[in-house]
Amino acid sequence: MCRRQPDLWARGRVWRAASAAVGVVGARDASAIGLRMAHSMAAELGEAGWVTVSGLARGVDAAAHEGALTAPAGTIAVVAGGVDVVYPPENADLTARIADQGLILSEAPMGLEPQGRHFPRRNRIISGLSRALVVIEAAQRSGSLLTADFALE
């Protein structure tokens, strides 16, 4: 029996995946302080040479990517749909800047719209790429804490 290994699709600067990385994840509806914390933490990590890895979701993820884009180390966005699919729609500009300056990764094939069942797989990849994981303002039963569970494993 032949087992097929999952593919990893990439869009952007693939060499970023070989860099030391820290995951930054958290609430989609984070407070203003949480968003500022995610932005400044990612910017400072990037200045210190650490790539920020996050999920390109609303809230903490988007703020972390924005902060990381201000620093030389940059960012990696792991998405639940295809690397060519913009989700959520309000992150279209951010997605384009990450594709240009950073890296977008996914196990999902090109063109696939994200569905709820895809997000835990995305979270597993975030934790696997990261040497450390920072969680900012996560709800008790959230994808952020699922990512932390993956990181602990």
Side-chain angles (χ1 to χ4, degrees), residues 24-25 53-58 60-62 65 76-80 87-88 91 119 122-123 126:
V24 179
V25 297
V53 180
S54 198
L56 197 54
R58 297 173 180 96
V60 167
D61 289 16
H65 290 303
I76 298 173
V78 182
V79 297
Y87 183 85
N91 284 352
F119 289 91
R122 174 203 66 176
N123 296 345
I126 292 169

Side-chain angles (χ1 to χ4, degrees), residues 7-147:
D7 295 321
L8 199 59
W9 297 78
R11 179 177 165 207
R13 300 173 186 238
V14 178
W15 55 266
R16 291 216 188 268
S19 303
V22 173
V24 179
V25 297
R28 288 186 301 270
D29 59 349
S31 68
I33 290 173
L35 296 175
R36 284 194 307 269
M37 181 182 294
H39 187 280
S40 65
M41 180 174 291
E44 290 176 24
L45 284 166
E47 289 296 331
W50 292 87
V51 171
T52 295
V53 180
S54 198
L56 197 54
R58 297 173 180 96
V60 167
D61 289 16
H65 290 303
E66 290 282 2
L69 286 171
T70 69
T75 191
I76 298 173
V78 182
V79 297
V83 296
D84 60 333
V85 175
V86 175
Y87 183 85
E90 63 266 26
N91 284 352
D93 178 63
L94 178 58
T95 301
R97 287 185 287 129
I98 294 171
D100 183 52
Q101 301 171 37
L103 177 62
I104 302 174
L105 291 176
S106 180
E107 275 188 339
M110 300 278 281
L112 184 73
E113 293 290 330
Q115 298 173 9
R117 62 189 161 105
H118 300 149
F119 289 91
R121 293 170 61 184
R122 174 203 66 176
N123 296 345
R124 178 182 48 80
I125 296 169
I126 292 169
S127 70
L129 289 171
S130 304
R131 293 200 185 163
L133 182 72
V134 178
V135 179
I136 299 174
E137 294 186 9
Q140 280 190 328
R141 295 178 49 90
S142 67
S144 299
L145 293 184
L146 179 62
T147 307

